[in-house]
Amino acid sequence: MDSLKLIALDDAALSVISACLQDAVFKTGDTAFLGKDQTFTLEANRFVWEEGKDKKTFERRRAVLAVKQVQAVKSRGIDLKDADTVHALLAVTFVAGDEAPSGAIELVLSGGAVIRLEVDCVEVQFADVGGGWETKFRPRHPVA
């Protein structure tokens, strides 16, 4: 499989990146906010959903998400002092602000945790940064 490299400049394109990152896992310490550069980064091990669901083995890849034009970062349900806590990313969403194109990009995590990035506009880059490795486990989401 080829490595993915995507850019989102609106919420529709952001939903594609969100689908690629669904069920990615990362540690708190794999995030960084470079305030001077107005960039938030997250390194994660993403599940390769685009390979299909009818396989007996699956794949994960190391990927980086970079969000630009970030003015502030807030979080809920995350102990920022514990860099080794593992989180599962469920979705990346855009919440429009009072004045377009500003708003917030929310990284919705399992367990009700959220990382909220206050942004001037949607400017997000996503890329696979390493080869894949096999996993036998496919994420499952039980229906309530």
Side-chain angles (χ1 to χ4, degrees):
M1 183 196 99
D2 293 332
S3 295
L4 291 180
K5 291 182 183 179
L6 303 171
I7 295 175
L9 299 175
D10 60 27
D11 56 344
L14 187 62
S15 68
V16 174
I17 290 176
S18 178
C20 292
L21 283 171
Q22 182 180 347
D23 297 310
V25 291
F26 66 96
K27 293 181 180 180
T28 303
D30 291 333
T31 65
F33 176 50
L34 307 171
K36 184 178 106 177
D37 296 330
Q38 298 181 317
T39 302
F40 175 87
T41 60
L42 178 144
E43 294 182 44
N45 298 333
R46 76 175 186 92
F47 187 82
V48 182
W49 285 106
E50 65 271 18
E51 284 292 305
K53 61 182 180 181
D54 297 326
K55 298 173 63 177
K56 292 183 181 175
T57 61
F58 305 98
E59 183 178 319
R60 282 197 179 268
R61 288 181 169 259
R62 192 70 171 164
V64 173
L65 177 75
V67 180
K68 310 283 185 155
Q69 308 299 323
V70 178
Q71 298 304 312
V73 177
K74 300 175 183 176
S75 64
R76 181 183 71 226
I78 297 174
D79 180 359
L80 299 175
K81 295 176 187 169
D82 187 356
D84 291 326
T85 299
V86 176
H87 306 281
L89 181 62
L90 301 178
V92 181
T93 61
F94 179 71
V95 179
D98 292 336
E99 293 186 34
S102 68
I105 293 176
E106 292 187 341
L107 308 177
V108 181
L109 311 177
S110 63
V114 175
I115 300 172
R116 183 178 174 94
L117 310 172
E118 302 290 336
V119 296
D120 290 334
C121 62
V122 175
E123 185 178 342
V124 178
Q125 298 172 337
F126 159 83
D128 288 334
V129 293
W133 62 91
E134 183 179 297
T135 179
K136 293 181 182 177
F137 301 102
R138 178 178 182 261
R140 293 178 9 148
H141 299 277
V143 177

